[in-house]
Amino acid sequence: MRIAAFGFRSLPPSKGAAGADKFALELFPRLVKRGHSVVAYNRRYPNVFIDVNEYKGVKIKTIKTTSKSGFDTLWHSFRSTIDIIVHNTADIVHIQNGGNSIWAIPLRLFGKKVFISQDGVDWKRDKWPWYGKLYLRFSAFLTAHLPNEVIFDNVIAKRLFEEKFGKQYKFIPFGSEVEAFEEDADVLLKNNLKKGEFYLFIGRFIPDKGIHYLIPAFKNSRSNKKLVLIGGSPNPSPYEQQLHDMAGDNIIFPGYIYGDAVNTLIANAYCYIQPSDVEGLSPIVLTVMGLNVPLIVSDIEENEYAVLDTAHKFKKGNIDSLTEEINYCEDHHLEMLSLAKKAQARALSVFNWENVADEHVEVFMNS
């Protein structure tokens, strides 16, 4: 098969990366190993881009986009769509993010098979203004009807779409396993961290992620450990500055970290905290589970589906509830480690990247 893909930021991931980039990183090289051709359309921002032409067999085409939040994805996706059509780079187009579903119209008119990966209910995300949410509701309608198939990574969003549009869709979860990696002692040394002496969060600094609950909850807790917040805003934002203003001396912002370095931080964390208000099936939660690290997550349905009874949960948006769970982790860490073992067993049996790749091949070939 000749496959083209867009809707993520870059392969390999760069500053501003999120779950879509992790998905691209894991899936597309596996498709190449199975004998298929994959062209990945990277975004080039005015100040951020990855200068590569190939990654693990995946051909990379880099196309400029704007830095204006909310329009960068649409503009890049439009230009990628034109390139696919004009240069006939693929027969199958895999689009991440239902907000890009409008481009399925020209792609299908030019004979391409189109598949959309939908990771959540985007119009519920607080980061969007009213007109953004209105567009995403319109995009959801297009997503439901235009592509050859819609692939959901979590059963909750899949159920909502099926109830709303009266159709059946495909479910393929993310994987969780992490390739063997060399521990990067430098990342611990650089940030003055020791194994088991810090809590961790990794992700974009946007309101959906609930970091504005995490910081005060951690400061209110009895913990004398550090809190490490990996990531940043995909575009400059007052929200990121607000988080820095809220933080204390024991809260660290190392910026964006990837590869062996971020896996080292996860593996050495005392506990990972996912305070999100809105999620799909979180790739970082699955990775943490696969690396046998204790977890505290918000009690949204998507997180509960991922962890079942293998992690502690707090009431979404409730600072006091999260503070209680951090204190519980401080007092009952052996129990948290036992739960982490159960989480690892669940992750490696249910969420497997090789199975994810095989199921995508089947969908692409048979839909």
Side-chain angles (χ1 to χ4, degrees):
M1 292 184 290
R2 296 192 313 137
I3 304 164
F6 61 83
F8 50 93
R9 284 192 162 223
S10 69
L11 181 66
S14 62
K15 180 182 177 181
D21 303 274
K22 169 68 172 174
F23 181 70
L25 179 76
E26 298 290 352
L27 176 63
F28 299 148
R30 285 178 165 86
L31 296 181
V32 171
K33 284 183 179 179
R34 285 157 172 77
H36 307 290
S37 166
V38 181
V39 179
Y41 283 84
N42 277 7
R43 301 183 207 177
R44 177 172 182 164
Y45 289 88
N47 60 342
V48 179
F49 76 104
I50 298 291
D51 189 15
V52 296
N53 296 315
E54 183 269 343
Y55 179 78
K56 292 187 177 181
V58 179
K59 300 169 190 172
I60 306 295
K61 296 196 79 169
T62 301
I63 293 181
K64 289 182 180 179
T65 190
T66 176
S67 59
K68 187 168 178 58
S69 178
F71 295 96
D72 55 332
T73 299
L74 278 175
W75 179 240
H76 178 268
S77 298
F78 165 71
R79 298 191 65 193
S80 300
T81 297
I82 296 301
D83 191 82
I84 291 167
I85 292 170
V86 171
H87 296 107
N88 190 27
T89 57
D91 306 307
I92 291 169
V93 182
H94 180 231
I95 301 174
Q96 293 189 50
N97 183 345
N100 287 315
S101 57
I102 193 169
W103 310 121
I105 298 173
L107 288 166
R108 294 213 65 183
L109 285 174
F110 279 86
K112 308 301 181 184
K113 292 176 71 174
V114 177
F115 300 86
I116 294 179
S117 284
Q118 180 78 25
D119 69 344
V121 185
D122 291 331
W123 63 82
K124 289 187 176 182
R125 298 183 186 274
D126 289 338
K127 67 177 182 177
W128 299 116
W130 68 267
Y131 53 85
K133 292 182 178 182
L134 184 64
Y135 171 75
L136 289 170
R137 286 184 179 275
F138 171 65
S139 292
F141 177 83
L142 298 181
T143 298
H145 297 289
L146 287 178
N148 294 80
E149 183 62 89
V150 186
I151 304 169
F152 287 87
D153 64 31
N154 70 88
V155 293
I156 294 91
K158 175 177 178 286
R159 185 186 70 229
L160 288 172
F161 266 69
E162 288 176 344
E163 290 173 353
K164 185 176 181 64
F165 298 109
K167 298 180 67 175
Q168 295 293 309
Y169 302 105
K170 185 69 177 176
F171 168 64
I172 305 176
F174 279 12
S176 66
E177 68 273 28
V178 175
E179 291 183 2
F181 65 93
E182 281 192 36
E183 287 229 350
D184 184 347
D186 287 345
V187 74
L188 295 172
L189 189 63
K190 179 180 176 182
N191 292 288
N192 195 25
L193 299 172
K194 296 180 181 178
K195 181 177 178 63
E197 291 298 321
F198 61 94
Y199 289 78
L200 183 65
F201 165 85
I202 302 167
R204 290 186 180 184
F205 290 3
I206 55 177
D208 298 351
K209 297 298 182 182
I211 314 167
H212 53 293
Y213 313 132
L214 173 55
I215 291 174
F218 184 77
K219 290 171 70 175
N220 292 343
S221 75
R222 295 194 300 272
S223 179
N224 59 5
K225 297 177 176 61
K226 295 178 180 178
L227 172 62
V228 181
L229 303 173
I230 304 294
S233 294
N235 299 292
S237 76
Y239 180 73
E240 183 169 11
Q241 185 58 52
Q242 175 191 339
L243 298 179
H244 281 268
D245 292 343
M246 293 169 68
D249 293 339
N250 60 341
I251 298 176
I252 302 171
F253 295 86
Y256 288 97
I257 300 176
Y258 301 107
D260 289 353
V262 78
N263 288 333
T264 299
L265 288 171
I266 295 171
N268 284 278
Y270 183 78
C271 179
Y272 184 90
I273 302 177
Q274 186 80 354
S276 308
D277 283 339
V278 182
E279 278 291 346
L281 182 59
S282 170
I284 190 64
V285 165
L286 297 182
T287 299
V288 171
M289 291 168 68
L291 287 174
N292 187 28
V293 174
L295 262 168
I296 298 172
V297 299
S298 59
D299 63 354
I300 60 175
E301 282 189 284
E302 291 82 355
N303 286 342
E304 291 193 323
Y305 171 79
V307 303
L308 287 184
D309 60 349
T310 67
H312 270 248
K313 303 157 199 168
F314 72 96
K315 295 175 184 176
K316 181 191 84 168
N318 189 312
I319 293 172
D320 291 339
S321 177
L322 179 51
T323 300
E324 289 175 13
E325 293 302 336
I326 295 171
N327 287 337
Y328 189 92
C329 186
E330 289 287 315
D331 297 337
H332 302 87
H333 199 242
L334 287 178
E335 178 192 325
M336 298 291 286
L337 289 170
S338 178
L339 287 175
K341 263 303 199 194
K342 287 179 63 179
Q344 184 181 48
R346 171 170 169 74
L348 297 180
S349 61
V350 177
F351 306 107
N352 181 282
W353 280 116
E354 296 301 328
N355 292 342
V356 169
D358 289 339
E359 290 186 52
H360 275 83
V361 168
E362 183 181 347
V363 171
F364 292 165
M365 294 185 73
N366 298 323
S367 297

